[in-house]
Amino acid sequence: MKTATDTNIATNVAARVAGEDIKPGDYVTALTEIYELPSFLWCCSGGTLAAEEPVRSVYKAGDAGQPSKVIAVCLPFVYAKKARGDTAIFDIRKHQLVRLDRDTGRKVWKRLRKAKKK
């Protein structure tokens, strides 16, 4: 029995990007979100922390993978249009952004726009 393997398959990877490298027209998505709580609310800590010292927690972004098209950058803020029409404001101090491959971002963007119209 003979089998054939297609070797022309390309894998695209979303790359983490620094705020200063983001430009209008890029497709980005939030990978993680950082939440800060005052340490006096953090009762599960075994160590002692100063009351004014924040405790950071990193979570996966709720809309991770949803492409947003960058319309303007004014660090630390990135302003982007979501496929469904509303505007997203990313604070790069709170959000870890990744740049999507341009072709992948465009394909998903168009498909989400079509789904919105229906």
Side-chain angles (χ1 to χ4, degrees):
M1 179 171 167
K2 292 187 178 184
T3 59
T5 304
D6 186 8
T7 58
N8 294 329
I9 298 173
T11 301
N12 297 322
V13 178
R16 289 184 176 157
V17 61
E20 56 270 12
D21 294 333
I22 299 172
K23 58 187 180 303
D26 285 345
Y27 291 95
V28 297
T29 188
L31 186 63
T32 60
E33 292 184 43
I34 299 170
Y35 292 97
E36 290 185 348
L37 297 170
S39 61
F40 63 82
L41 292 176
W42 201 260
C43 61
C44 301
S45 176
T48 57
L49 298 171
E52 67 277 353
E53 187 175 336
V55 175
R56 291 183 176 190
S57 297
V58 179
Y59 295 95
K60 185 186 114 180
D63 59 351
Q66 296 286 327
S68 298
K69 190 174 185 179
V70 176
I71 53 176
V73 178
C74 183
L75 294 178
F77 304 107
V78 176
Y79 302 94
K81 182 177 179 182
K82 292 186 175 185
R84 303 200 196 262
D86 49 339
T87 302
I89 302 171
F90 298 107
D91 182 345
I92 62 168
R93 298 169 296 184
K94 181 180 175 185
H95 297 94
Q96 171 71 58
L97 296 181
V98 293
R99 181 185 295 138
L100 300 173
D101 174 67
R102 183 166 291 283
D103 293 334
T104 303
R106 189 177 301 128
K107 283 179 190 176
V108 175
W109 176 272
K110 286 182 179 180
R111 182 158 297 217
L112 289 172
R113 298 282 292 179
K114 285 180 185 177
K116 177 192 171 217
K117 290 179 182 178
K118 290 183 179 183

